[in-house]
Amino acid sequence: VLHFHSYNFSASEKAEATELQRMIAIEQQKAQFQAQVHTFTDVCWDKCVDSPGSKLDHRTETCLVSCVERFIDTTLTITNRFTQMVQKGAH
Amino acid sequence: MRVCVHVRRCQEGSTPVEMDGFGSEFPAGGSGGKVDTGTIMEQVKVQIAVANAQELLQRMTDKCFKKCIGKPGSTLDNSEQKCIAMCMDRYMDAWNTVSRTYNSRLQRERARM
């Protein structure tokens, strides 16, 4: 949310700034996606790729796909269980 | 092997990495005093794309050094060079696979909500 304080912005300038903020938020969301892909690729490369060949074979592809899915499942499991632990008063 | 990191502008024979926004040019010409939303957005996209490429290269270098260089010698020999090249291609293949998988998963989760 933009706060226009003591500056004299015209209505069109305010509208433009708000639109800009919206567009930047979209780019930030895309950047966050990319950052996650970097993390997953890092982890799953270690799990799935032994020696790089002339192409990724089917076994490796399947491993990468499963790895991403299970990593996300793990994240959700940990988040949910941790939330329960906190709610029950554990530290 | 030619690598193109801007999927929409990739030419035949180069390997696209599925990223968006890399390689955009600044729009030509100024418009005088007023701030141009388009110019700002181009700059934002370029900055994000550059940071993304740097991240890719850093992680790729780390992984491929580990995979390809055993005991470091006085130079990179032929087999090491070949390994590095192959490793880079495979890393980008892996990146694309992960990107597609993650995107599908996000869409699936959104459909459930």
Side-chain angles (χ1 to χ4, degrees):
Chain A
V1 176
L2 295 175
H3 299 280
F4 302 98
H5 297 292
S6 51
Y7 306 107
N8 285 323
F9 289 114
S10 70
S12 71
E13 281 168 332
K14 286 180 189 176
E16 200 174 56
T18 305
E19 174 63 9
L20 201 53
Q21 193 180 41
R22 191 190 67 86
M23 287 166 71
I24 287 173
I26 289 170
E27 294 305 314
Q28 279 177 330
Q29 208 176 39
K30 286 186 200 169
Q32 247 180 334
F33 176 87
Q34 310 274 42
Q36 281 287 65
V37 175
H38 284 305
T39 302
F40 295 151
T41 305
D42 194 304
V43 167
C44 294
W45 174 272
D46 290 342
K47 282 264 184 233
C48 296
V49 181
D50 343 90
S51 42
S54 51
K55 70 177 196 80
L56 287 183
D57 63 30
H58 182 69
R59 195 176 54 95
T60 310
E61 283 272 352
T62 308
C63 179
L64 288 168
V65 171
S66 300
C67 177
V68 174
E69 298 277 5
R70 300 297 78 74
F71 190 92
I72 293 169
D73 292 340
T74 304
T75 307
L76 293 173
T77 302
I78 289 176
T79 305
N80 290 336
R81 187 157 188 277
F82 187 74
T83 305
Q84 288 170 14
M85 289 166 69
V86 165
Q87 283 169 351
K88 283 181 189 150
H91 298 294
Chain B
M1 189 207 72
R2 269 201 62 226
V3 174
C4 173
V5 292
H6 194 304
V7 177
R8 285 198 295 274
R9 295 188 197 154
C10 286
Q11 293 170 333
E12 286 254 323
S14 61
T15 301
V17 180
E18 286 170 21
M19 300 188 214
D20 188 55
F22 188 84
S24 313
E25 301 95 45
F26 290 106
S31 51
K34 221 156 177 180
V35 165
D36 181 19
T37 303
T39 308
I40 291 175
M41 284 316 295
E42 280 303 306
Q43 288 177 357
V44 166
K45 286 179 186 174
V46 165
Q47 280 179 16
I48 289 174
V50 166
N52 187 43
Q54 283 175 344
E55 187 68 27
L56 178 74
L57 288 179
Q58 188 155 53
R59 297 198 193 226
M60 183 192 282
T61 303
D62 184 66
K63 297 304 181 194
C64 294
F65 184 83
K66 285 199 178 88
K67 290 271 186 233
C68 293
I69 280 80
K71 196 155 157 75
S74 54
T75 58
L76 290 178
D77 65 38
N78 264 331
S79 66
E80 285 168 334
Q81 298 265 16
K82 281 204 183 92
C83 179
I84 290 167
M86 257 198 321
C87 177
M88 286 177 67
D89 293 353
R90 299 296 76 75
Y91 192 83
M92 286 186 284
D93 290 341
W95 201 97
N96 287 337
T97 299
V98 168
S99 179
R100 280 191 301 268
T101 307
Y102 184 42
N103 192 44
S104 301
R105 176 63 183 259
L106 283 176
Q107 289 180 344
R108 231 179 304 140
E109 295 292 336
R110 282 193 199 120
R112 287 205 305 139
M113 290 199 301

